[in-house]
Amino acid sequence: FWPTACYNEALHSHIAPLLPQLVPVLLNNMVYADTDFATMDPAMLTDDNSSVPDQQHDIAPRSHYCKDEQDEDDQPTTWGSDWTVRKAAASSLDNCAVRFEMAILPLVLPLIEQRLGAEQWDVRESAVLALGAI
């Protein structure tokens, strides 16, 4: 809804007053939810190697598949490739930031700074996602 609404100039005057309430809701929804973990591949939890430094081949870019090259059904699906509330919130914040530019920064930056200092890793990670979205 929000990405579409942000592109509709006739709605901008209606959305702008909602930003102080909307931004915190979007940020709250950018934290991983229980359903994200419930749908996670179990190997991602049992094979946790977060204490091992990444090697160059571990972080190599993923292959891009063009629709012309391959059918959509043939494309690999991995955990995290499905659309989620978290992704929708990040997309919505991105679209709001593009449209409302400087008006959104005083609203979002203090919240991001607060979240970067949180003890919970998933809250800190959502702040990094929000930085990328704006």
Side-chain angles (χ1 to χ4, degrees):
F1 171 79
W2 290 111
T4 304
C6 286
Y7 283 109
N8 185 336
E9 290 189 31
L11 297 177
H12 292 172
S13 63
H14 299 288
I15 296 171
L18 298 175
L19 290 176
Q21 292 83 30
L22 177 62
V23 167
V25 170
L26 294 176
L27 287 174
N28 287 337
N29 282 298
M30 290 171 69
V31 179
Y32 279 108
D34 291 340
T35 54
D36 294 322
F37 294 115
T39 60
M40 184 182 286
D41 181 353
M44 294 184 84
L45 297 172
T46 58
D47 297 337
D48 180 18
N49 66 353
S50 60
S51 62
V52 178
D54 290 328
Q55 300 297 316
Q56 186 67 30
H57 66 275
D58 294 332
I59 56 174
R62 293 185 239 167
S63 297
H64 174 72
Y65 295 97
C66 293
K67 289 190 178 201
D68 295 341
E69 297 173 10
Q70 200 167 347
D71 287 339
E72 205 171 293
D73 294 337
D74 293 340
Q75 291 183 9
T77 56
T78 60
W79 178 81
S81 62
D82 294 330
W83 193 250
T84 63
V85 170
R86 179 176 183 272
K87 290 180 184 180
S91 174
S92 297
L93 181 62
D94 180 15
N95 284 281
C96 287
V98 167
R99 168 52 190 106
F100 295 101
E101 297 176 344
M102 298 306 286
I104 205 167
L105 289 178
L107 302 171
V108 74
L109 288 179
L111 296 172
I112 290 173
E113 184 176 3
Q114 178 185 19
R115 288 169 174 271
L116 286 171
E119 289 191 28
Q120 303 91 344
W121 72 267
D122 53 345
V123 174
R124 289 192 310 269
E125 191 278 338
S126 72
V128 173
L129 178 62
L131 280 172
I134 62 169

